[in-house]
Amino acid sequence: MGKGAVVGTAVVACAAAAAAVGVAVVVSRRRRRRKEAEDERKRKAAAVVEEVEQAFSTPTALLRGIADAMVEEMERGLRADPHAPLKMLISYVDNLPTGDEHGLFYALDLGGTNFRVIRVQLGGREKRVMKQEYEEVSIPPHLMIGTSTELFDFIAAELEKFVRTEGEDFHLPDGKQRELGFTFSFPVHQTSISSGTLIKWTKGFSINGTVGEDVVAELSRAMERQGLDMKVTALVNDTVGTLAGGRYLDNDVVAAVILGTGTNAAYVEHANAIPKWNGLLPKSGNMVINMEWGNFRSNKLPSSEYDKALDFESLNPGEQIYEKMISGMYLGEIVRRILLKLAHDASLFGDVVPPKLEQLFVLRTPDMSAMHHDTSHDLKHLGAKLKDILGVPDTSLEARYITLHVCDLVAERGARLAAAGIYGILKKLGKDKLPNDFSQQRTVIAMDGGLYEHYKKFSTCLEATLADLLGEEAASSVVVKLANDGSGIGAALLAASHSEYAEAA
């Protein structure tokens, strides 16, 4: 090899080495930029999470303040303050079931796109509920936007068919008319135990000619047209029905709370503590109050940017503020909004925001609950849910753990705020402390609703928070008890306790 060839080879080798160094430098820079970008993404994600943690924080002192605000609003509502968010509706239920009721009673439970018809044979204190039967009926969509006559005729016809299937185990004494408890879970201005005018339709109903009318009269006329000899003796909403069903099974029940798609509470108030009550005081000395507590609002409630945006974009801005923080209709939507912020600001699910994550209410609370209860080490079930709901084929372990943490923050805040509301009711009744004689009188809260029943981390947190607020001694006498599906049979029991034949019996 000549000298020139050697030099040429050396030059080529040097060039190759330089190129290799250059490539290495470029690769190193790319890696550094990627690491810097990843570090920046993680920093942004951590910042969003920290901001949510602060906004959703519910220290015990705050919860006590919320409970005090609840008591204050309850008292304003009982005085008929027109500006009070809690209307504290008088239910006219002054006789809760005692267990002595006997006879055949029916109930009609209308609260949404389905209704249930129920019958029970009551055997008094010894035999209690001897037999019960029910049937669920779907309401055809066209009747939800039709006329009042069409809707109530359909309901009465189904009720008449159900009565015709009454077997020998059910017995109506000669000369007595069948009596019905009517659970009507729409806003009503109640005027007696068996009458009330509709304020407005909700839940997808838009029916002409019923607003301002007595819904019991509408149903009664429809039953007459069907030739059905039956009288409505109690008109109640689902929360009052749950309270009645709970009291029938446990005489220490003082309040009922529904935590499902929506939320509400009812409790037993001393009649002389209701300034707006104008009539004679009931013989029992008590009156059940339907709080409509979903509309509770206070500047003490920890309202975040996500809550404010949800409320602003809702069908009822400025209303049901408490419900929008604690009920099953909204918890999943709050989680979605937080995840969307993380996707936009911190690329939580990759460089492209999943289009489905932009859809309102695409993430439902049952899905949130399923993700929250994932105990697998790699959260594979949570990842599968994100894939099914948001269309993200592959999520990082970090994204799955952040999603789990967001579910935890939203569920915990909702449960703790709900516990503060219950604590407020107990304070109003003077049941937040042990009696001066230190007697161990039980205080029972009847709970119903799918959110409470099926979202175990929510219900466990609620009960632990309530115990913390009450303190060890008082908490030992307070019991939270599941009253599953109590509103229907509760209406039948209220028909019995307010029966026109009760005195004669």
Side-chain angles (χ1 to χ4, degrees):
M1 183 181 296
K3 186 176 181 182
V6 172
V7 171
T9 301
V11 170
V12 170
C14 286
V21 170
V23 169
V25 169
V26 170
V27 170
S28 177
R29 284 175 181 162
R30 285 177 181 166
R31 284 177 180 163
R32 187 165 64 249
R33 281 198 296 269
R34 278 201 298 269
K35 186 176 185 308
E36 288 171 354
E38 180 63 12
D39 288 346
E40 177 66 7
R41 189 195 63 73
K42 287 185 176 182
R43 186 192 65 76
K44 288 179 177 177
V48 173
V49 170
E50 184 180 1
E51 165 219 312
V52 173
E53 287 172 343
Q54 291 175 357
F56 281 58
S57 174
T58 51
T60 301
L62 175 68
L63 297 181
R64 292 187 185 282
I66 290 168
D68 289 342
M70 178 73 80
V71 173
E72 186 178 323
E73 295 304 333
M74 290 170 75
E75 290 173 345
R76 285 179 64 198
L78 291 173
R79 292 196 302 268
D81 183 334
H83 304 296
L86 295 182
K87 297 308 177 188
M88 304 297 284
L89 303 175
I90 294 171
S91 71
Y92 293 88
V93 171
D94 57 351
N95 292 319
L96 283 166
T98 62
D100 292 325
E101 295 80 12
H102 60 274
L104 170 63
F105 297 92
Y106 277 78
L108 168 63
D109 190 351
L110 175 62
T113 54
N114 298 322
F115 67 87
R116 286 188 308 148
V117 286
I118 302 158
R119 61 173 154 249
V120 294
Q121 187 75 41
L122 303 175
R125 193 164 291 279
E126 295 300 319
K127 297 180 180 178
R128 310 293 283 191
V129 177
M130 297 170 64
K131 189 174 178 63
Q132 62 176 305
E133 293 176 343
Y134 77 92
E135 191 171 306
E136 191 155 327
V137 182
S138 294
I139 299 174
H142 72 275
L143 292 181
M144 295 173 63
I145 54 173
T147 67
S148 179
T149 299
E150 290 170 335
L151 175 65
F152 282 99
D153 277 354
F154 175 77
I155 292 171
E158 293 297 325
L159 181 57
E160 192 274 335
K161 278 195 283 187
F162 183 65
V163 170
R164 275 193 275 125
T165 65
E166 195 179 277
E168 293 181 359
D169 291 333
F170 296 90
H171 176 65
L172 182 72
D174 293 340
K176 288 192 176 182
Q177 187 180 25
R178 287 181 180 83
E179 293 179 302
L180 173 82
F182 185 13
T183 301
F184 187 76
S185 300
F186 298 90
V188 164
H189 173 62
Q190 196 133 359
T191 50
S192 76
I193 182 59
S194 58
S195 62
T197 56
L198 178 67
I199 297 170
K200 65 178 178 179
W201 286 106
T202 57
K203 306 177 186 179
F205 284 76
S206 179
I207 292 173
N208 294 323
T210 322
V211 172
E213 297 295 322
D214 183 349
V215 293
V216 170
E218 293 279 336
L219 177 61
S220 299
R221 285 192 289 267
M223 290 193 295
E224 286 176 18
R225 289 192 291 270
Q226 292 293 329
L228 179 57
D229 185 23
M230 184 177 282
K231 180 180 181 180
V232 178
T233 54
L235 172 67
V236 298
N237 83 338
D238 52 356
T239 318
V240 175
T242 298
L243 176 55
R247 175 64 71 91
Y248 183 75
L249 297 172
D250 190 327
N251 199 46
D252 293 328
V253 169
V254 300
V257 175
I258 291 182
L259 280 163
T261 303
T263 184
N264 194 13
Y267 75 104
V268 184
E269 182 60 275
H270 301 295
N272 58 12
I274 309 173
K276 67 181 179 182
W277 176 258
N278 294 319
L280 294 172
L281 289 179
K283 290 180 182 178
S284 68
N286 295 320
M287 179 63 67
V288 174
I289 299 295
N290 166 22
M291 290 177 65
E292 293 294 334
W293 84 347
N295 206 40
F296 170 61
R297 58 183 179 270
S298 165
N299 57 15
K300 289 183 168 59
L301 289 172
S303 183
S304 69
E305 64 176 271
Y306 309 98
D307 300 298
K308 290 168 183 170
L310 185 154
D311 177 51
F312 180 76
E313 296 170 25
S314 70
L315 296 174
N316 55 346
E319 298 179 20
Q320 303 297 108
I321 298 300
Y322 189 50
E323 180 171 81
K324 288 169 182 171
M325 290 184 170
I326 71 172
S327 79
M329 177 77 182
Y330 301 101
L331 295 184
E333 173 63 5
I334 295 169
V335 170
R336 182 197 71 83
R337 288 170 181 269
I338 297 170
L339 294 180
L340 182 61
K341 176 84 177 282
L342 283 160
H344 273 299
D345 290 11
S347 303
L348 185 66
F349 301 114
D351 294 334
V352 178
V353 175
K356 286 187 178 179
L357 191 55
E358 304 270 5
Q359 295 177 18
L360 294 174
F361 293 95
V362 70
L363 181 64
R364 302 175 310 117
T365 301
D367 299 320
M368 169 191 172
S369 173
M371 294 192 299
H372 198 184
H373 289 101
D374 186 356
T375 56
S376 61
H377 72 281
D378 58 354
L379 300 179
K380 62 181 179 183
H381 304 300
L382 186 152
K385 275 287 181 188
L386 290 175
K387 180 180 178 181
D388 293 342
I389 297 163
L390 305 181
V392 183
D394 188 30
T395 50
S396 67
L397 187 60
E398 178 204 22
R400 296 199 289 275
Y401 270 107
I402 287 176
T403 300
L404 181 70
H405 186 48
V406 169
C407 290
D408 198 52
L409 291 172
V410 173
E412 182 177 295
R413 186 191 69 162
R416 287 175 66 80
L417 292 178
I422 296 171
Y423 180 58
I425 295 173
L426 293 174
K427 285 194 80 167
K428 176 69 177 68
L429 292 174
K431 303 274 189 184
D432 58 318
K433 294 181 175 63
L434 281 180
N436 292 332
D437 60 1
F438 298 103
S439 61
Q440 286 295 313
Q441 173 67 42
R442 291 166 74 248
T443 298
V444 182
I445 309 292
M447 299 286 294
D448 196 9
L451 178 64
Y452 177 82
E453 182 179 1
H454 301 301
Y455 200 151
K456 294 306 177 188
K457 289 195 174 184
F458 182 98
S459 54
T460 300
C461 179
L462 183 154
E463 290 167 18
T465 304
L466 182 60
D468 178 51
L469 289 167
L470 286 164
E472 189 175 345
E473 284 191 346
S476 66
S477 66
V478 174
V479 180
V480 178
K481 198 172 186 180
L482 180 65
N484 190 7
D485 203 20
S487 62
I489 193 168
L493 292 166
L494 286 170
S497 61
H498 291 81
S499 168
E500 65 178 61
Y501 308 110
E503 293 299 324

